[in-house]
Amino acid sequence: MDNYDVVVIGAGPGGYVAAIRCAQLGLKTACVERGVYAEGKPTLGGTCLNVGCIPSKALLDSSHHFEHLQLHAKEHGIDADGVSMNVGRMQKRKDKIVKTLTMGIAGLFKKNAVTWLEGSGKLQPNHKVDVCDRDGNTLSTVVAKNIIIATGSIPAAIPPAPVDQENIVDSTGALAFDSVPETLGVIGAGVIGLELGSVWRRLGAKVTIFEALPEFLPSADKAVAKEAKKLLGRQGLDLRLGTMVTATDTAGDKVKVTYTGDDGEQTLEFDKLIVAVGRVPSTAGLGAAEVDLALDDRGFIIVDDECRSNLDGIYAVGDVVRGPMLAHKASEEGIAVAERIAGQSPHIDLGLVPWVIYTWPEIAWVGKTEQELSGAGRPTAIGTFPFIASGRGRAMGELDGFIKIIADAKDDTVLGVHIIGPGASELIAEAVLAMEFGASAEDIARTVHAHPTLSEGLHEAALGVDSRTIHI
Ligand code: FAD
Ligand code: AMP
């Protein structure tokens, strides 16, 4: 039986990063991964690289270029009449990007001497892990001083809309359409529903999004959510808040969706329907019950602040544990656990994990929202700066959105930064770094920002906290 210092189960951004960091620290490491995402062959990279972050961003970029040419080429002096989209070529590009990156992980495993055990990891007593085939037969058994579980998450299902990956698809199916549906329904106005809805709308689909909650993006700052609702609606996304999908009926090529809302029960027909109602932790086949690994009532592995499970020497990271279901959160937890196993004392502040929604304009935030702070009775000072007043924004033709910095009214510490606008996904990094270092708004206001850049908006918003914005 092969013996390891660490066996990692799952090779998504939590697991593969943990495995590489363990190996860097001199620990003999193996990673068990079962995922077969394309071409019938197992691949590393998990949800994120195969059917999540990366393919969705590839399609968002392609569709953004297409829409930009259609709507804005003329004003730049570019005649691009009659541009058309070749969906097959767009999908091939996406597949190539995924393949390059997932093969890259295999290369990194080789370089770092991480052993990839192909199969499904099943926990056994005494720190043993069975590596099983798809039918549950044991291919091999390994033993490890430490085990890191990084089995991630899978799309949540709802009874009224059973996924068949033909007419009714989950996020994986929605990344693989081979043509643009004329009409597309989306259940769920969360991050995934908005991003995938945006891709197909930009390519020409008439998109309707059903959202059970009456409030749009409830975890975002209210001002950002309001602006996003206005801008996405203006782009043509038909956002139906406070509507609950109660039944679907697939007849031929069409899906009939029954939903209830303020106007009672209604039906609408679509070519395709995406179910994007969230994700649930993935522990099927892991053998959690057999070894008494504690799960909470929603199926997440229970861990402490340092990702320790209830079992000695067994850790869990990423989507399968509490906290935001985001790739960078999974990776940082993976690194921290590897360092902890190696005797170091790492630390992650889960309160400073940045959130990004890759619509256009992009939406990004870190820290507390204004409503959270006012709910907690914390006095704040707020500075905002709209992109309409940004020189770079104007040069780019990107005038929508704003940056909002919320600071403590007494000591000026930055408590939250909220951006809706061009390049928000990149701009937020400055805010995260500032907050990680405990910066005040004054620190950002006294930092020289290059001109003309979108990042000057952060500078101006920081000046605005002290009511001394220059350009508005
Ligand atoms: P996963 O990436 O889910 O990986 C877990 C792996 O474990 C899987 O490959 C699975 O096959 C394997 N596994 C499970 N059980 C076993 C077992 N018993 N034995 C062996 N292997 C097993 N996040 C972002 O931060 N930014 C984004 O832009 C973003 N976009 C997204 C877009 C979409 C469409 C989706 C679906 C998700 C997106 N996410 C995004 C979320 C992100 O993908 C997840 O947060 C991230 O993948 C979680 O990483 P993980 O390592 O915990 O799990
Ligand atoms: P997220 O968890 O951020 O991906 O968002 C998923 C969204 O789907 C949540 O905001 C839910 O309110 C919404 N949702 C879940 N079930 C339904 C349903 N049957 N009809 C409409 N919206 C739903």
Side-chain angles (χ1 to χ4, degrees), residues 143-205:
V143 61
K145 287 193 197 89
N146 301 278
I147 295 171
I148 305 174
I149 302 168
T151 48
S153 62
I154 52 172
I158 47 168
V163 166
D164 56 22
Q165 298 298 25
E166 284 290 330
N167 300 87
I168 305 181
V169 301
D170 58 18
S171 55
T172 301
L175 290 167
F177 291 156
D178 55 12
S179 61
V180 181
E182 247 174 66
T183 52
L184 174 67
V186 181
I187 311 180
V191 178
I192 294 174
L194 291 176
E195 290 186 4
L196 294 175
S198 291
V199 165
W200 296 106
R201 182 205 57 74
R202 292 171 190 169
L203 299 182

Short mmCIF file of all heavy atoms in Angstrom, two decimals, residues 143-205:
data_model
loop_
_atom_site.label_atom_id
_atom_site.label_comp_id
_atom_site.label_asym_id
_atom_site.label_seq_id
_atom_site.Cartn_x
_atom_site.Cartn_y
_atom_site.Cartn_z
N VAL A 143 -2.50 5.16 1.98
CA VAL A 143 -2.62 5.61 3.36
C VAL A 143 -1.85 6.92 3.49
O VAL A 143 -0.82 7.10 2.81
CB VAL A 143 -2.13 4.52 4.35
CG1 VAL A 143 -0.67 4.16 4.15
CG2 VAL A 143 -2.38 4.92 5.80
N ALA A 144 -2.38 7.85 4.30
CA ALA A 144 -1.76 9.18 4.39
C ALA A 144 -1.81 9.68 5.82
O ALA A 144 -2.77 9.41 6.55
CB ALA A 144 -2.52 10.15 3.49
N LYS A 145 -0.77 10.43 6.20
CA LYS A 145 -0.79 11.05 7.54
C LYS A 145 -1.90 12.09 7.60
O LYS A 145 -2.54 12.27 8.63
CB LYS A 145 0.56 11.73 7.80
CG LYS A 145 1.70 10.76 8.04
CD LYS A 145 2.92 11.50 8.62
CE LYS A 145 4.16 10.66 8.47
NZ LYS A 145 4.89 10.84 7.21
N ASN A 146 -2.07 12.80 6.50
CA ASN A 146 -3.09 13.86 6.45
C ASN A 146 -3.93 13.71 5.17
O ASN A 146 -3.39 13.34 4.12
CB ASN A 146 -2.42 15.24 6.39
CG ASN A 146 -1.54 15.47 7.59
OD1 ASN A 146 -2.00 15.84 8.66
ND2 ASN A 146 -0.24 15.21 7.43
N ILE A 147 -5.21 14.04 5.30
CA ILE A 147 -6.10 13.99 4.13
C ILE A 147 -6.75 15.37 3.98
O ILE A 147 -7.21 15.95 4.98
CB ILE A 147 -7.18 12.90 4.31
CG1 ILE A 147 -6.49 11.51 4.36
CG2 ILE A 147 -8.21 12.94 3.19
CD1 ILE A 147 -7.40 10.37 4.76
N ILE A 148 -6.75 15.87 2.76
CA ILE A 148 -7.45 17.14 2.48
C ILE A 148 -8.60 16.84 1.52
O ILE A 148 -8.37 16.36 0.40
CB ILE A 148 -6.51 18.19 1.84
CG1 ILE A 148 -5.27 18.42 2.71
CG2 ILE A 148 -7.27 19.50 1.61
CD1 ILE A 148 -4.23 19.35 2.07
N ILE A 149 -9.82 17.08 1.98
CA ILE A 149 -10.99 16.84 1.11
C ILE A 149 -11.32 18.13 0.39
O ILE A 149 -11.52 19.18 1.02
CB ILE A 149 -12.19 16.36 1.94
CG1 ILE A 149 -11.82 15.09 2.72
CG2 ILE A 149 -13.40 16.11 1.05
CD1 ILE A 149 -12.84 14.72 3.78
N ALA A 150 -11.36 18.05 -0.95
CA ALA A 150 -11.67 19.24 -1.76
C ALA A 150 -12.59 18.80 -2.89
O ALA A 150 -12.29 18.98 -4.07
CB ALA A 150 -10.37 19.84 -2.30
N THR A 151 -13.70 18.18 -2.50
CA THR A 151 -14.58 17.55 -3.49
C THR A 151 -15.58 18.52 -4.11
O THR A 151 -16.37 18.12 -4.97
CB THR A 151 -15.31 16.34 -2.87
OG1 THR A 151 -15.87 16.76 -1.61
CG2 THR A 151 -14.34 15.20 -2.60
N GLY A 152 -15.57 19.77 -3.68
CA GLY A 152 -16.29 20.81 -4.41
C GLY A 152 -17.79 20.75 -4.30
O GLY A 152 -18.37 20.34 -3.29
N SER A 153 -18.44 21.13 -5.40
CA SER A 153 -19.90 21.24 -5.40
C SER A 153 -20.45 20.85 -6.76
O SER A 153 -19.70 20.76 -7.74
CB SER A 153 -20.30 22.68 -5.08
OG SER A 153 -19.81 23.54 -6.09
N ILE A 154 -21.74 20.62 -6.78
CA ILE A 154 -22.44 20.31 -8.04
C ILE A 154 -23.69 21.21 -8.14
O ILE A 154 -24.13 21.75 -7.13
CB ILE A 154 -22.85 18.81 -8.11
CG1 ILE A 154 -23.63 18.43 -6.83
CG2 ILE A 154 -21.64 17.90 -8.29
CD1 ILE A 154 -24.24 17.05 -6.88
N PRO A 155 -24.24 21.36 -9.35
CA PRO A 155 -25.41 22.23 -9.47
C PRO A 155 -26.57 21.72 -8.62
O PRO A 155 -26.81 20.51 -8.56
CB PRO A 155 -25.76 22.15 -10.96
CG PRO A 155 -24.51 21.69 -11.65
CD PRO A 155 -23.80 20.81 -10.65
N ALA A 156 -27.29 22.64 -7.96
CA ALA A 156 -28.48 22.27 -7.21
C ALA A 156 -29.60 21.95 -8.20
O ALA A 156 -29.67 22.54 -9.29
CB ALA A 156 -28.90 23.43 -6.30
N ALA A 157 -30.43 21.01 -7.82
CA ALA A 157 -31.56 20.63 -8.68
C ALA A 157 -32.86 21.06 -8.00
O ALA A 157 -32.91 21.17 -6.77
CB ALA A 157 -31.56 19.12 -8.89
N ILE A 158 -33.89 21.35 -8.80
CA ILE A 158 -35.21 21.62 -8.21
C ILE A 158 -36.24 20.73 -8.92
O ILE A 158 -36.19 20.58 -10.15
CB ILE A 158 -35.63 23.11 -8.28
CG1 ILE A 158 -35.40 23.70 -9.69
CG2 ILE A 158 -34.92 23.93 -7.23
CD1 ILE A 158 -36.05 25.06 -9.89
N PRO A 159 -37.16 20.15 -8.15
CA PRO A 159 -38.13 19.21 -8.75
C PRO A 159 -38.91 19.77 -9.93
O PRO A 159 -39.13 19.04 -10.91
CB PRO A 159 -39.05 18.84 -7.58
CG PRO A 159 -38.23 19.13 -6.36
CD PRO A 159 -37.33 20.27 -6.70
N PRO A 160 -39.33 21.07 -9.93
CA PRO A 160 -40.14 21.50 -11.08
C PRO A 160 -39.37 21.57 -12.40
O PRO A 160 -39.99 21.67 -13.45
CB PRO A 160 -40.62 22.91 -10.69
CG PRO A 160 -39.94 23.28 -9.46
CD PRO A 160 -39.24 22.09 -8.89
N ALA A 161 -38.04 21.51 -12.36
CA ALA A 161 -37.28 21.65 -13.62
C ALA A 161 -36.16 20.61 -13.68
O ALA A 161 -34.99 20.94 -13.49
CB ALA A 161 -36.71 23.07 -13.71
N PRO A 162 -36.52 19.35 -13.96
CA PRO A 162 -35.50 18.30 -14.02
C PRO A 162 -34.57 18.48 -15.23
O PRO A 162 -35.05 18.64 -16.36
CB PRO A 162 -36.31 17.00 -14.14
CG PRO A 162 -37.65 17.42 -14.65
CD PRO A 162 -37.88 18.84 -14.24
N VAL A 163 -33.27 18.48 -14.97
CA VAL A 163 -32.29 18.74 -16.04
C VAL A 163 -32.14 17.50 -16.93
O VAL A 163 -31.93 16.40 -16.44
CB VAL A 163 -30.94 19.12 -15.39
CG1 VAL A 163 -29.81 19.07 -16.40
CG2 VAL A 163 -31.03 20.50 -14.76
N ASP A 164 -32.28 17.71 -18.27
CA ASP A 164 -32.04 16.60 -19.19
C ASP A 164 -30.83 16.89 -20.10
O ASP A 164 -30.47 16.09 -20.93
CB ASP A 164 -33.29 16.31 -20.04
CG ASP A 164 -33.77 17.55 -20.80
OD1 ASP A 164 -32.96 18.48 -21.02
OD2 ASP A 164 -34.96 17.62 -21.17
N GLN A 165 -30.23 18.06 -19.92
CA GLN A 165 -29.10 18.58 -20.72
C GLN A 165 -29.45 18.72 -22.20
O GLN A 165 -28.57 18.87 -23.04
CB GLN A 165 -27.81 17.74 -20.57
CG GLN A 165 -27.23 17.67 -19.17
CD GLN A 165 -26.77 19.00 -18.55
OE1 GLN A 165 -27.26 20.06 -18.92
NE2 GLN A 165 -25.87 18.94 -17.58
N GLU A 166 -30.74 18.68 -22.51
CA GLU A 166 -31.18 18.92 -23.89
C GLU A 166 -31.96 20.23 -23.91
O GLU A 166 -31.45 21.26 -24.33
CB GLU A 166 -32.08 17.78 -24.38
CG GLU A 166 -31.33 16.51 -24.73
CD GLU A 166 -30.50 16.65 -25.99
OE1 GLU A 166 -30.88 17.43 -26.88
OE2 GLU A 166 -29.44 15.98 -26.07
N ASN A 167 -33.20 20.16 -23.41
CA ASN A 167 -34.04 21.36 -23.34
C ASN A 167 -33.83 22.10 -22.04
O ASN A 167 -33.77 23.32 -22.00
CB ASN A 167 -35.52 20.99 -23.45
CG ASN A 167 -35.82 20.29 -24.75
OD1 ASN A 167 -35.70 19.08 -24.85
ND2 ASN A 167 -36.17 21.07 -25.76
N ILE A 168 -33.74 21.31 -20.95
CA ILE A 168 -33.52 21.90 -19.63
C ILE A 168 -32.10 21.56 -19.20
O ILE A 168 -31.75 20.38 -19.06
CB ILE A 168 -34.54 21.37 -18.61
CG1 ILE A 168 -35.98 21.59 -19.10
CG2 ILE A 168 -34.33 22.03 -17.25
CD1 ILE A 168 -37.06 21.11 -18.15
N VAL A 169 -31.28 22.60 -19.05
CA VAL A 169 -29.86 22.35 -18.80
C VAL A 169 -29.43 23.00 -17.49
O VAL A 169 -30.07 23.93 -17.00
CB VAL A 169 -28.98 22.91 -19.96
CG1 VAL A 169 -29.34 22.27 -21.29
CG2 VAL A 169 -29.10 24.43 -20.05
N ASP A 170 -28.32 22.50 -16.95
CA ASP A 170 -27.69 23.21 -15.83
C ASP A 170 -26.57 24.07 -16.42
O ASP A 170 -26.47 24.24 -17.65
CB ASP A 170 -27.19 22.22 -14.77
CG ASP A 170 -26.20 21.21 -15.32
OD1 ASP A 170 -25.62 21.47 -16.40
OD2 ASP A 170 -25.99 20.17 -14.67
N SER A 171 -25.69 24.61 -15.54
CA SER A 171 -24.66 25.52 -16.06
C SER A 171 -23.75 24.81 -17.05
O SER A 171 -23.30 25.40 -18.04
CB SER A 171 -23.85 26.12 -14.91
OG SER A 171 -23.30 25.12 -14.09
N THR A 172 -23.48 23.52 -16.82
CA THR A 172 -22.60 22.78 -17.72
C THR A 172 -23.21 22.71 -19.12
O THR A 172 -22.54 22.97 -20.13
CB THR A 172 -22.34 21.36 -17.16
OG1 THR A 172 -21.76 21.50 -15.88
CG2 THR A 172 -21.42 20.56 -18.06
N GLY A 173 -24.51 22.39 -19.19
CA GLY A 173 -25.19 22.33 -20.48
C GLY A 173 -25.24 23.69 -21.15
O GLY A 173 -25.10 23.81 -22.38
N ALA A 174 -25.40 24.74 -20.34
CA ALA A 174 -25.53 26.10 -20.90
C ALA A 174 -24.22 26.62 -21.45
O ALA A 174 -24.20 27.58 -22.21
CB ALA A 174 -26.05 27.05 -19.82
N LEU A 175 -23.10 25.99 -21.07
CA LEU A 175 -21.80 26.39 -21.62
C LEU A 175 -21.54 25.69 -22.96
O LEU A 175 -20.54 25.96 -23.61
CB LEU A 175 -20.67 26.01 -20.65
CG LEU A 175 -20.60 26.80 -19.34
CD1 LEU A 175 -19.68 26.12 -18.35
CD2 LEU A 175 -20.12 28.22 -19.62
N ALA A 176 -22.43 24.77 -23.33
CA ALA A 176 -22.12 23.91 -24.49
C ALA A 176 -23.15 24.02 -25.61
O ALA A 176 -23.10 23.22 -26.55
CB ALA A 176 -22.01 22.46 -24.01
N PHE A 177 -24.08 24.99 -25.56
CA PHE A 177 -25.05 25.12 -26.66
C PHE A 177 -24.29 25.23 -27.99
O PHE A 177 -23.31 25.96 -28.08
CB PHE A 177 -25.90 26.40 -26.51
CG PHE A 177 -26.87 26.39 -25.36
CD1 PHE A 177 -27.31 27.59 -24.81
CD2 PHE A 177 -27.36 25.21 -24.82
CE1 PHE A 177 -28.20 27.61 -23.76
CE2 PHE A 177 -28.26 25.22 -23.75
CZ PHE A 177 -28.67 26.42 -23.22
N ASP A 178 -24.80 24.53 -29.03
CA ASP A 178 -24.11 24.63 -30.31
C ASP A 178 -24.75 25.64 -31.24
O ASP A 178 -24.30 25.85 -32.36
CB ASP A 178 -23.97 23.25 -30.97
CG ASP A 178 -25.31 22.58 -31.13
OD1 ASP A 178 -26.35 23.26 -30.93
OD2 ASP A 178 -25.34 21.37 -31.46
N SER A 179 -25.84 26.26 -30.78
CA SER A 179 -26.41 27.37 -31.54
C SER A 179 -27.10 28.30 -30.53
O SER A 179 -27.30 27.92 -29.38
CB SER A 179 -27.42 26.86 -32.57
OG SER A 179 -28.46 26.21 -31.89
N VAL A 180 -27.43 29.49 -31.01
CA VAL A 180 -28.05 30.46 -30.10
C VAL A 180 -29.55 30.18 -30.03
O VAL A 180 -30.23 30.23 -31.06
CB VAL A 180 -27.81 31.90 -30.60
CG1 VAL A 180 -28.43 32.91 -29.64
CG2 VAL A 180 -26.32 32.16 -30.81
N PRO A 181 -30.07 29.86 -28.84
CA PRO A 181 -31.53 29.66 -28.76
C PRO A 181 -32.24 30.97 -29.03
O PRO A 181 -31.75 32.04 -28.64
CB PRO A 181 -31.75 29.21 -27.30
CG PRO A 181 -30.50 29.51 -26.57
CD PRO A 181 -29.40 29.75 -27.54
N GLU A 182 -33.38 30.90 -29.73
CA GLU A 182 -34.11 32.15 -29.98
C GLU A 182 -34.66 32.70 -28.68
O GLU A 182 -34.58 33.89 -28.41
CB GLU A 182 -35.27 31.86 -30.94
CG GLU A 182 -35.09 32.53 -32.28
CD GLU A 182 -36.17 32.11 -33.24
OE1 GLU A 182 -37.34 32.45 -32.98
OE2 GLU A 182 -35.81 31.44 -34.23
N THR A 183 -35.21 31.78 -27.86
CA THR A 183 -35.74 32.19 -26.57
C THR A 183 -35.10 31.33 -25.49
O THR A 183 -34.97 30.12 -25.64
CB THR A 183 -37.27 32.01 -26.52
OG1 THR A 183 -37.57 30.67 -26.90
CG2 THR A 183 -37.98 32.99 -27.43
N LEU A 184 -34.68 31.99 -24.43
CA LEU A 184 -33.97 31.29 -23.35
C LEU A 184 -34.57 31.70 -22.01
O LEU A 184 -34.64 32.90 -21.70
CB LEU A 184 -32.48 31.66 -23.40
CG LEU A 184 -31.59 31.15 -22.28
CD1 LEU A 184 -31.46 29.63 -22.32
CD2 LEU A 184 -30.18 31.77 -22.38
N GLY A 185 -34.95 30.71 -21.21
CA GLY A 185 -35.38 30.99 -19.84
C GLY A 185 -34.24 30.65 -18.90
O GLY A 185 -33.45 29.74 -19.18
N VAL A 186 -34.12 31.38 -17.82
CA VAL A 186 -33.11 31.09 -16.81
C VAL A 186 -33.82 31.09 -15.47
O VAL A 186 -34.54 32.04 -15.16
CB VAL A 186 -31.98 32.16 -16.79
CG1 VAL A 186 -30.93 31.81 -15.74
CG2 VAL A 186 -31.33 32.30 -18.17
N ILE A 187 -33.63 30.05 -14.66
CA ILE A 187 -34.19 30.07 -13.30
C ILE A 187 -33.05 30.42 -12.36
O ILE A 187 -32.07 29.69 -12.25
CB ILE A 187 -34.79 28.71 -12.90
CG1 ILE A 187 -35.73 28.17 -13.97
CG2 ILE A 187 -35.53 28.85 -11.56
CD1 ILE A 187 -36.36 26.82 -13.63
N GLY A 188 -33.19 31.56 -11.68
CA GLY A 188 -32.17 32.00 -10.73
C GLY A 188 -31.39 33.19 -11.25
O GLY A 188 -30.72 33.11 -12.28
N ALA A 189 -31.51 34.33 -10.55
CA ALA A 189 -30.75 35.54 -10.93
C ALA A 189 -29.54 35.70 -10.04
O ALA A 189 -29.22 36.80 -9.59
CB ALA A 189 -31.65 36.77 -10.86
N GLY A 190 -28.86 34.58 -9.76
CA GLY A 190 -27.59 34.65 -9.03
C GLY A 190 -26.46 34.91 -10.02
O GLY A 190 -26.70 35.22 -11.20
N VAL A 191 -25.23 34.75 -9.55
CA VAL A 191 -24.06 35.04 -10.38
C VAL A 191 -24.09 34.22 -11.67
O VAL A 191 -23.93 34.75 -12.78
CB VAL A 191 -22.77 34.75 -9.60
CG1 VAL A 191 -21.56 35.00 -10.47
CG2 VAL A 191 -22.70 35.59 -8.33
N ILE A 192 -24.32 32.91 -11.52
CA ILE A 192 -24.24 32.02 -12.70
C ILE A 192 -25.36 32.31 -13.68
O ILE A 192 -25.14 32.40 -14.89
CB ILE A 192 -24.22 30.54 -12.23
CG1 ILE A 192 -22.92 30.27 -11.46
CG2 ILE A 192 -24.35 29.59 -13.42
CD1 ILE A 192 -22.82 28.90 -10.82
N GLY A 193 -26.58 32.53 -13.18
CA GLY A 193 -27.71 32.84 -14.06
C GLY A 193 -27.49 34.12 -14.83
O GLY A 193 -27.76 34.20 -16.04
N LEU A 194 -26.94 35.13 -14.16
CA LEU A 194 -26.73 36.43 -14.83
C LEU A 194 -25.62 36.33 -15.87
O LEU A 194 -25.71 36.91 -16.96
CB LEU A 194 -26.37 37.51 -13.80
CG LEU A 194 -27.51 37.92 -12.86
CD1 LEU A 194 -27.00 38.92 -11.83
CD2 LEU A 194 -28.68 38.52 -13.65
N GLU A 195 -24.53 35.61 -15.52
CA GLU A 195 -23.42 35.50 -16.48
C GLU A 195 -23.84 34.71 -17.72
O GLU A 195 -23.60 35.15 -18.85
CB GLU A 195 -22.21 34.85 -15.81
CG GLU A 195 -21.57 35.76 -14.76
CD GLU A 195 -20.27 35.22 -14.16
OE1 GLU A 195 -19.79 34.14 -14.60
OE2 GLU A 195 -19.75 35.87 -13.26
N LEU A 196 -24.46 33.55 -17.51
CA LEU A 196 -24.82 32.73 -18.68
C LEU A 196 -25.96 33.37 -19.46
O LEU A 196 -25.98 33.31 -20.70
CB LEU A 196 -25.17 31.31 -18.22
CG LEU A 196 -23.97 30.54 -17.64
CD1 LEU A 196 -24.40 29.20 -17.08
CD2 LEU A 196 -22.89 30.35 -18.70
N GLY A 197 -26.88 34.01 -18.75
CA GLY A 197 -27.95 34.74 -19.44
C GLY A 197 -27.35 35.83 -20.32
O GLY A 197 -27.79 36.04 -21.46
N SER A 198 -26.32 36.52 -19.80
CA SER A 198 -25.69 37.59 -20.57
C SER A 198 -25.01 37.06 -21.83
O SER A 198 -25.09 37.68 -22.90
CB SER A 198 -24.62 38.31 -19.72
OG SER A 198 -25.23 39.02 -18.68
N VAL A 199 -24.31 35.92 -21.69
CA VAL A 199 -23.62 35.35 -22.87
C VAL A 199 -24.61 35.18 -24.02
O VAL A 199 -24.41 35.69 -25.13
CB VAL A 199 -23.00 33.96 -22.54
CG1 VAL A 199 -22.62 33.22 -23.81
CG2 VAL A 199 -21.80 34.11 -21.63
N TRP A 200 -25.72 34.48 -23.74
CA TRP A 200 -26.63 34.11 -24.85
C TRP A 200 -27.47 35.29 -25.30
O TRP A 200 -27.85 35.38 -26.47
CB TRP A 200 -27.43 32.86 -24.47
CG TRP A 200 -26.47 31.71 -24.29
CD1 TRP A 200 -26.08 31.13 -23.12
CD2 TRP A 200 -25.70 31.06 -25.33
NE1 TRP A 200 -25.12 30.17 -23.35
CE2 TRP A 200 -24.87 30.10 -24.70
CE3 TRP A 200 -25.62 31.19 -26.71
CZ2 TRP A 200 -24.00 29.28 -25.40
CZ3 TRP A 200 -24.74 30.37 -27.43
CH2 TRP A 200 -23.95 29.43 -26.77
N ARG A 201 -27.74 36.24 -24.38
CA ARG A 201 -28.45 37.46 -24.81
C ARG A 201 -27.60 38.25 -25.79
O ARG A 201 -28.08 38.70 -26.83
CB ARG A 201 -28.80 38.33 -23.60
CG ARG A 201 -29.59 39.59 -23.98
CD ARG A 201 -29.45 40.72 -23.00
NE ARG A 201 -28.08 41.14 -22.77
CZ ARG A 201 -27.34 41.84 -23.62
NH1 ARG A 201 -27.83 42.20 -24.80
NH2 ARG A 201 -26.09 42.17 -23.33
N ARG A 202 -26.30 38.38 -25.46
CA ARG A 202 -25.41 39.15 -26.36
C ARG A 202 -25.36 38.53 -27.75
O ARG A 202 -25.14 39.22 -28.74
CB ARG A 202 -24.00 39.18 -25.79
CG ARG A 202 -23.87 39.98 -24.52
CD ARG A 202 -22.49 39.77 -23.95
NE ARG A 202 -22.36 40.32 -22.62
CZ ARG A 202 -21.33 40.08 -21.83
NH1 ARG A 202 -20.35 39.29 -22.23
NH2 ARG A 202 -21.27 40.61 -20.64
N LEU A 203 -25.54 37.21 -27.80
CA LEU A 203 -25.45 36.53 -29.10
C LEU A 203 -26.80 36.51 -29.81
O LEU A 203 -26.92 35.95 -30.89
CB LEU A 203 -24.92 35.11 -28.90
CG LEU A 203 -23.51 35.04 -28.28
CD1 LEU A 203 -23.05 33.60 -28.15
CD2 LEU A 203 -22.51 35.83 -29.12
N GLY A 204 -27.83 37.06 -29.16
CA GLY A 204 -29.11 37.21 -29.88
C GLY A 204 -30.31 36.55 -29.25
O GLY A 204 -31.42 36.71 -29.76
N ALA A 205 -30.13 35.79 -28.16
CA ALA A 205 -31.29 35.13 -27.55
C ALA A 205 -32.15 36.16 -26.81
O ALA A 205 -31.63 37.14 -26.28
CB ALA A 205 -30.84 34.06 -26.57
#
